[in-house]
Structure formats: structure tokens, C-alpha cells
């Protein structure tokens, strides 16, 4: 095909033609909204680096869940801010913990929305690491039990899916076993499989009060320079029983999303993380970019790269834009 016989512009002339040859179509069904639950009543603490997002008491959070559902968003992922932290993250696996209460409340108010829970200890430990600390190191195997307990307590509260984000080795298997042994063999696991040690999580750590108090997460989260290792992580999680695998963050890792898409046939999620959201919001507030267009272009790019679903703080805005 050569010019002038082939003129690509012929098929770009009208909006109807462009719609006909469009390859990637974003839908509200592709979106998952993250929400932050905190104790109290009528609490709506703005998260300064994430305009439009709040730490929400449960009464407020259920309202947002209803808004998301009405906008066509099929799923939420819940994060909790406990009243109290300790060195073993006890509040993460209490049956009356903040996430467990939020799950039950959302279930009661918006029964059909899919409730996913983030399974990790970092919001619940006083040291801010995703696992228990032994001799100054993050102890892998000692953490597995606590993660399994956490997932199980979420399941008992009524969660529809659990999503381990800790990056301990073997956690998908540990959670799968705990769920199966306790009557939750139907509960799917969305594994944060290729989760990188990323500075793009900065705003989230402010939102969730989960920054590590010493060191960093490099001994458990992945080195941003690696992509073959992402394939190994994903294959391991699949072997351990993951139902959905995830690449996180999304934008700086579109090549990893594409690579995983080509290599495995499980549903693939990508997390459009807090820093990716904040940058767009900041650019828009400065008047430097068109927020709605950049948002839609970004989400479409993540889907085009190969993601089947996108966890994004833009979920409600994007769903509303799509519904016109
Ligand atoms: C908890 C967790 C993090 C995110 C999701 N789950 C933070 C981290 O690993 O430090 C990041 C989400 C975001 O930045 O939007 N382990």
C-alpha cells in the first residue's frame, strides 16, 4: 500500500467513519473505583494531592459506591485507614475492622456492585511495611498467615473478590488455601502480580497513611527496570490460583501490560495509580492540559496496551463522560 493509491486520511474524514474503524473502545464496565474508608461519621477528609478524592467514613463511602454504580461502574476496591496501628497489623484482620465494616455497609446499600478488597498490611502496621518485620527485614512466610487471615475476614464480611497487593512470595496460594478451607472456594483472587516499586504511589501513601517508616519497599516490590521478571511473577500467581492478574502502575509500564497480555490468557487488570491521577489533576488545575481529553486518552491507552480492566481514581468521571 503506497501513496497515492492508499490514503489513510480517507477513513478519518468524518466522525462516523472514525467510529467505524476505532479499534479500542473504553466502557464503564472496564473501570474499578478505589475508595478509602476511615472511622467516624460524616467524615470527608480531602486528600490534598488527589483532588476529588477523600478519606470517607462509611456513611459517606456508601453514597459514593451508589454514585459509582449509577454511573455504570461495576466494581470498587476498598482500602482502610484503621484507628490504631501495631507491629503486626492486627486491625487488618479483625472481623469488625474498618474495611470489613465498609464491605458490609456497601453490600447493604448497593448490593449488586462488585466489592473488591485490597489485602495488605501496610496501612495497619506502625512501621508501614506490607509484612511483619523480623530482625529489620520483612519476613515473608510469617506474613502469609496474616494476609490469609485478612482475606478470610474480608470474605466473611461479604467481599466479592480479594486483591493481595503486598508482593510476598506465595501469598496467592496461602490465601487460596484459607478461602477454600473455609467455604469460600467461589471467591476470586485478583493478584497484584507485577507490582513495581514506584514513586507514582506517593499520593496514595498520603491518602492511606501507609508510607514505610524505615527503608523502602525494594526487597518485595519489583525493580522498574525489569520486564521478564514480571512474566515470572504473573506465571507464579497463576500457578498459585490467581483468577485475575495485575500490572501496576500502568502508564510507565504499558510495555509490560502488552507483554503479559500476549503471554497469558487470564483477565488482566492495570492500576492507573495515584501519581498518574495527581499529575493529570495538577496539569489541569494549572490550565496546561484539557483534563477530560487527557483522562480519556490515558484510559484508552491502558486498554489498547492490553488491559481488560482498569483500577482508576477517574472511574466515575470517565464513566460519566462515556455515557455522555
Ligand atoms: C498497598 C497498596 C499501595 C497501592 C495499592 N495498594 C501502595 C504501596 O504499595 O505503597 C498504591 C495505589 C496507588 O498509588 O494508587 N500495598
Amino acid at each position: 500500500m503506497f501513496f497515492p493509491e492508499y490514503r489513510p486520511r480517507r477513513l478519518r474524514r468524518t466522525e462516523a467513519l472514525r467510529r467505524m474503524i476505532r479499534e479500542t473502545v473504553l466502557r464503564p464496565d472496564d473501570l474499578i473505583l478505589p475508595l478509602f474508608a476511615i472511622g467516624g461519621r460524616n467524615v470527608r477528609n480531602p486528600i490534598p494531592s488527589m483532588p476529588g478524592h477523600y478519606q470517607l467514613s462509611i456513611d459517606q463511602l456508601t453514597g459514593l459506591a451508589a454514585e459509582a454504580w449509577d454511573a455504570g461502574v461495576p466494581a470498587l476496591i476498598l482500602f482502610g485507614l484503621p484507628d490504631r496501628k501495631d507491629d503486626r497489623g492486627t486491625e487488618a484482620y479483625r472481623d469488625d475492622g474498618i474495611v470489613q465494616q465498609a464491605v458490609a455497609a456497601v453490600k447493604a446499600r448497593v448490593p449488586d456492585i462488585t466489592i473488591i478488597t485490597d489485602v495488605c498490611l501496610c496501612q495497619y502496621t506502625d512501621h508501614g511495611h506490607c509484612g511483619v518485620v523480623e530482625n529489620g527485614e520483612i519476613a515473608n512466610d510469617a506474613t502469609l498467615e496474616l494476609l490469609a487471615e485478612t482475606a478470610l475476614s474480608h470474605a466473611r464480611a461479604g467481599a466479592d473478590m480479594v486483591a493481595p497487593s503486598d508482593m510476598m512470595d506465595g501469598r496467592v496460594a496461602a490465601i487460596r488455601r484459607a478461602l477454600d478451607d473455609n467455604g469460600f472456594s467461589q471467591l476470586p483472587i485478583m493478584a497484584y502480580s507485577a507490582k513495581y516499586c514506584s514513586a507514582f504511589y506517593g499520593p496514595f501513601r498520603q491518602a492511606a497513611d501507609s508510607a514505610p517508616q524505615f527503608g523502602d519497599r525494594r526487597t518485595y516490590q519489583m525493580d522498574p527496570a525489569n520486564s521478564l521478571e514480571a512474566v515470572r511473577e504473573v506465571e507464579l500467581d497463576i500457578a498459585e490460583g490467581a483468577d485475575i492478574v495485575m500490572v501496576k502502575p500502568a502508564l510507565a509500564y504499558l510495555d509490560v501490560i502488552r507483554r503479559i497480555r500476549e503471554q497469558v490468557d487470564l483477565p488482566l487488570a492495570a492500576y492507573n495509580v495515584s501519581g498518574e491521577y495527581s499529575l493529570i489533576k495538577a496539569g489541569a488545575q494549572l490550565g496546561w492540559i484539557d483534563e477530560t481529553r487527557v483522562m480519556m486518552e490515558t484510559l484508552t491507552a491502558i486498554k489498547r496496551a492490553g488491559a481488560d480492566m482498569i483500577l482508576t481514581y477517574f472511574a466515575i468521571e470517565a464513566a460519566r463522560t462515556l455515557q455522555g
Side-chain angles (χ1 to χ4, degrees):
M1 295 203 293
F2 295 103
F3 178 82
E5 287 74 23
Y6 180 57
R7 290 176 180 268
R9 290 183 55 189
R10 283 183 197 126
L11 294 179
R12 293 182 199 139
R13 280 189 50 245
T14 69
E15 177 57 19
L17 279 168
R18 291 191 292 271
R19 270 167 49 195
M20 289 166 67
I21 63 162
R22 187 156 295 146
E23 299 172 37
T24 304
V25 181
L26 191 70
R27 309 168 305 159
D29 288 346
D30 303 327
L31 307 172
I32 299 170
L33 175 70
L35 291 176
F36 301 98
I38 194 165
R41 270 198 71 77
N42 275 319
V43 181
R44 219 178 156 86
N45 298 332
I47 300 162
S49 53
M50 299 176 70
H53 276 272
Y54 304 84
Q55 298 170 342
L56 298 164
S57 55
I58 289 173
D59 54 299
Q60 300 288 309
L61 187 141
T62 55
L64 230 76
E67 264 186 57
W69 181 250
D70 291 341
V73 175
L76 304 173
I77 180 160
L78 299 181
F79 296 92
L81 288 100
D83 295 336
R84 206 167 58 71
K85 299 177 190 252
D86 60 33
D87 62 346
R88 294 178 61 80
T90 310
E91 288 289 318
Y93 36 91
R94 277 173 51 134
D95 279 340
D96 60 351
I98 183 73
V99 164
Q100 292 80 354
Q101 289 182 43
V103 167
V106 172
K107 223 346 89 161
R109 168 119 187 235
V110 196
D112 295 328
I113 201 165
T114 301
I115 306 171
I116 308 170
T117 55
D118 184 86
V119 175
C120 195
L121 300 184
C122 61
Q123 289 112 260
Y124 305 90
T125 51
D126 48 16
H127 46 69
H129 278 288
C130 302
V132 293
V133 177
E134 287 174 0
N135 307 317
E137 295 205 4
I138 318 308
N140 194 86
D141 296 11
T143 301
L144 298 182
E145 243 174 86
L146 306 185
L147 293 168
E149 265 310 305
T150 304
L152 193 54
S153 71
H154 294 173
R156 281 195 295 259
D160 298 301
M161 194 182 305
V162 292
S165 67
D166 52 283
M167 288 300 277
M168 297 300 122
D169 297 335
R171 89 271 209 220
V172 174
I175 290 171
R176 185 72 272 159
R177 198 171 316 121
L179 292 174
D180 289 357
D181 288 350
N182 289 278
F184 294 104
S185 60
Q186 287 298 317
L187 202 86
I189 299 175
M190 172 191 276
Y192 287 71
S193 302
K195 176 172 177 180
Y196 287 89
C197 189
S198 171
F200 285 96
Y201 307 151
F204 173 95
R205 292 184 188 168
Q206 182 182 47
D209 186 28
S210 64
Q213 299 302 302
F214 69 90
D216 53 42
R217 304 211 203 285
R218 284 176 223 262
T219 66
Y220 43 108
Q221 298 181 345
M222 284 178 54
D223 183 337
N226 295 351
S227 111
L228 275 170
E229 189 185 3
V231 177
R232 295 197 294 273
E233 280 282 7
V234 165
E235 285 176 346
L236 189 60
D237 283 357
I238 293 174
E240 291 179 28
D243 299 280
I244 297 174
V245 293
M246 191 198 298
V247 172
K248 174 184 175 195
L251 287 183
Y253 301 87
L254 292 176
D255 59 316
V256 179
I257 295 174
R258 166 57 41 184
R259 182 171 199 150
I260 300 299
R261 172 69 303 153
E262 284 170 2
Q263 209 123 32
V264 308
D265 55 11
L266 248 59
L268 173 60
Y271 202 138
N272 176 216
V273 300
S274 55
E276 299 171 353
Y277 175 85
S278 302
L279 288 177
I280 293 176
K281 286 286 177 186
Q285 284 188 354
L286 287 165
W288 290 353
I289 55 166
D290 177 330
E291 179 178 348
T292 304
R293 289 191 55 199
V294 171
M295 165 181 79
M296 297 310 282
E297 184 176 333
T298 296
L299 295 172
T300 302
I302 296 169
K303 188 163 183 199
R304 190 195 63 231
D308 301 301
M309 54 196 98
I310 306 170
L311 297 86
T312 178
Y313 302 96
F314 286 117
I316 292 181
E317 283 163 274
R320 287 190 180 141
T321 303
L322 288 168
Q323 302 204 324

